[in-house]
Amino acid sequence: SFSVERPGGKRILLVGDSTAYGRGADKPEDSIAGHLSHDFPGTEIVNTAVNGSLTKHAAAQLAKAGSKPFDMIIICTGGNDIWHFTRLAPLEQNLSRLLKGAIEKSSHKVIVLFYANLGFAPIFPSVIRWMLGKRTRQVRDIFARQTALQRVPLIELYTGETNRSIYMHNPFLEKPEQYYAKDRMHPNSKGYELWYKLMWYEMVKNNYLFSERDKPVI
């Protein structure tokens, strides 16, 4: 996973699955962590994400990052819970605990990225896509409910045939060859760039941006 050691200043943490890890990006710098490193050149980027992780694993990744607080925490999870058919009640409990832990460790500067487009990835046959589409909606409802309860921005990478973002169309459905990686499941560099733009919009909207000249949180 893409991390950058810049001790003594601001710190951003990423936890979660392959989308936090950056799988599918043409190069590490094109991942979510890579974009953050570029836009916050004086900030340490800590990435404890692991490919294949479920939401329940992200809590351990959060603990692995240590007790020192962060200036922002990015959680990328939920996609694997869709196609692993994680039971919904434990998923909601694990997500709730994860959000509370991240909120406590970041003074409530938490963003959740949910890869809701997994159910429509080209790698799956149409019958499987239909099944995963239904699962996606169930898992998405849990994420929407918990993030709303805990006042955490939720950024979906395009849900189904429509999306609830600042964009009015779904480029992943319209031009899959342009936004999916070669594995036909993960976003490629352009896909991650779209996701990061949505994330930046929420960072500005929620006043999550910070000056790197400020003293780090002790």
Side-chain angles (χ1 to χ4, degrees), residues 63-168:
K64 181 182 177 182
S67 58
K68 186 178 177 182
F70 287 87
D71 297 280
M72 185 161 50
I73 295 178
I74 313 298
I75 299 172
C76 305
T77 187
N80 289 322
D81 292 286
I82 293 172
W83 72 282
H84 278 275
F85 286 84
T86 302
R87 289 194 300 130
L88 298 178
L91 171 60
E92 185 151 11
Q93 292 169 359
N94 288 325
L95 178 60
S96 176
R97 283 194 291 267
L98 173 62
L99 292 175
K100 288 175 182 176
I103 287 169
E104 184 178 349
K105 193 173 283 194
S106 66
S107 298
H108 214 120
K109 290 194 173 182
V110 180
I111 293 178
V112 175
L113 302 182
F114 176 50
Y115 184 28
N117 222 65
L118 178 66
F120 294 86
I123 192 173
F124 298 116
S126 57
V127 174
I128 302 298
R129 285 205 297 270
W130 180 84
M131 291 175 57
L132 291 178
K134 181 179 179 181
R135 275 285 298 178
T136 295
R137 289 189 291 274
Q138 292 174 326
V139 173
R140 186 263 168 195
D141 286 347
I142 288 173
F143 273 70
R145 180 163 55 248
Q146 282 300 318
T147 52
L149 281 172
Q150 303 195 41
R151 296 180 291 110
V152 170
L154 172 65
I155 301 160
E156 304 170 50
L157 189 59
Y158 303 102
T159 303
E161 296 180 1
T162 59
N163 70 297
R164 305 168 180 83
S165 72
I166 57 176
Y167 296 98
M168 298 304 293

Side-chain angles (χ1 to χ4, degrees), residues 2 22 24-31 34 189 192:
F2 185 93
D26 299 330
K27 56 183 185 292
E29 291 79 10
D30 293 341
S31 65
S189 290
Y192 280 113

Side-chain angles (χ1 to χ4, degrees), residues 181-199:
K182 291 180 180 179
D183 65 9
R184 300 192 300 158
M185 179 182 290
H186 293 89
N188 62 13
S189 290
K190 288 186 177 180
Y192 280 113
E193 184 179 3
L194 284 179
W195 206 356
Y196 186 72
K197 286 179 179 178
L198 295 174
M199 182 176 132

